[in-house]
Amino acid sequence: MKSILLISTSLSKESISANLIKFVNSQLKKENVKSKIIDLREFNIPFCDGRSINEYDSNIQSLFNDLKNIDYIIFGFPIYCYSISGVLKNFLDIFSLAMRNKRFGVCASAGSKMSYLAISDLFKIMKFQSHAKGVMPTVLVNRSDFQNDIPNEEIKKLINEMLSSLLK
C-alpha cells in the first residue's frame, strides 16, 4: 500500500495550513490511504549548516528516514511575504535528499489569493534539489475558505483533484 507523509510547516498555534493538512489527512483516512502527519511545531529542527545528515541528532535522522521511505509527500505551509516560510526553506535544505524523485502535493495558506506564485518557489526547489515532481492542482486557501476548520466545497473539490493527481 502506498503511503503519504503530510508535512505541516507552520509554527503558528492557530495555523490555517495546519488545519488544512488535518482535513486532508482525514480525507485520506476515509479512503483507507496510509498517511501520517509530521507537524514541525512538535520538532526541534536546527538551522541547516551544511553538515551530513549523519551528524544531526537521532530525531532528525529518523525523520530523514521516514521521508526516504514514503511514497508521496504533501506540504502544508503558510505563505509569508509572497514566498515560502524560512521554516519550510530550512526543512528543505536539511531533508531534500530524502525526498529525491518523490511526487508531492501542495496545501498552502495565504492572506490573499494573490500570493499563489509563492508556490512556484517550492516547485523550483523540489525540482532542482530533489528531482521531485509536483502535481496540479495546488490548494491555496485563506481564512475565508473555512468555517469551523472545515474548508468550503470549492476547496474540498480542489483537495480531491490534488489527491487524485498525486495518487495516479
Side-chain angles (χ1 to χ4, degrees), residues 124-166:
K124 286 186 286 189
I125 293 166
M126 290 296 290
K127 176 67 178 171
F128 293 115
Q129 188 64 28
S130 299
H131 304 283
K133 180 178 178 10
V135 300
M136 291 293 184
T138 60
V139 180
L140 177 63
V141 301
N142 62 39
R143 195 168 302 282
S144 68
D145 292 318
F146 287 85
Q147 181 150 358
N148 299 325
D149 295 334
I150 305 293
N152 65 35
E153 292 305 314
E154 180 183 335
I155 299 302
K156 287 178 185 176
K157 183 179 177 211
L158 259 181
I159 290 167
N160 288 331
E161 289 174 14
M162 184 266 299
L163 291 175
S164 176
S165 180
L166 183 66

Side-chain angles (χ1 to χ4, degrees), residues 8-27:
S8 180
T9 68
S10 175
L11 301 183
S12 171
K13 290 178 183 172
E14 298 186 13
S15 170
I16 296 169
S17 63
N19 287 339
L20 181 59
I21 284 294
K22 287 178 191 171
F23 181 82
V24 172
N25 192 49
S26 71
Q27 298 302 104

Side-chain angles (χ1 to χ4, degrees), residues 32-47:
N32 294 317
V33 175
K34 185 179 175 188
S35 62
K36 177 182 174 183
I37 295 176
I38 297 293
D39 188 334
L40 295 190
R41 295 176 289 195
E42 299 170 3
F43 284 83
N44 183 17
I45 297 181
F47 286 111

Side-chain angles (χ1 to χ4, degrees), residues 21-158:
I21 284 294
K22 287 178 191 171
F23 181 82
V24 172
N25 192 49
S26 71
Q27 298 302 104
L28 290 167
K29 297 290 184 195
K30 285 180 187 175
E31 299 296 322
N32 294 317
V33 175
K34 185 179 175 188
S35 62
K36 177 182 174 183
I37 295 176
I38 297 293
D39 188 334
L40 295 190
R41 295 176 289 195
E42 299 170 3
F43 284 83
N44 183 17
I45 297 181
F47 286 111
C48 179
D49 57 11
R51 65 186 132 149
S52 162
I53 197 66
N54 297 328
E55 297 175 56
Y56 285 94
D57 71 35
S58 61
N59 291 330
I60 299 301
Q61 291 178 37
S62 177
L63 181 52
F64 186 91
N65 287 326
D66 284 349
L67 279 160
K68 215 169 148 180
N69 293 320
I70 54 93
D71 299 297
Y72 308 106
I73 301 165
I74 298 175
F75 290 101
F77 63 95
I79 295 173
Y80 297 136
C81 298
Y82 298 95
S83 187
I84 64 174
S85 68
V87 172
L88 176 53
K89 178 62 171 85
N90 188 62
F91 180 87
L92 297 170
D93 288 342
I94 294 172
F95 296 101
S96 64
L97 291 177
M99 298 180 284
R100 198 156 182 80
N101 298 315
K102 306 278 186 201
R103 289 171 56 88
F104 69 94
V106 169
C107 291
S109 64
S112 81
K113 300 284 185 183
M114 300 306 292
S115 297
Y116 67 93
L117 288 174
I119 294 169
S120 68
D121 291 346
L122 176 61
F123 272 69
K124 286 186 286 189
I125 293 166
M126 290 296 290
K127 176 67 178 171
F128 293 115
Q129 188 64 28
S130 299
H131 304 283
K133 180 178 178 10
V135 300
M136 291 293 184
T138 60
V139 180
L140 177 63
V141 301
N142 62 39
R143 195 168 302 282
S144 68
D145 292 318
F146 287 85
Q147 181 150 358
N148 299 325
D149 295 334
I150 305 293
N152 65 35
E153 292 305 314
E154 180 183 335
I155 299 302
K156 287 178 185 176
K157 183 179 177 211
L158 259 181

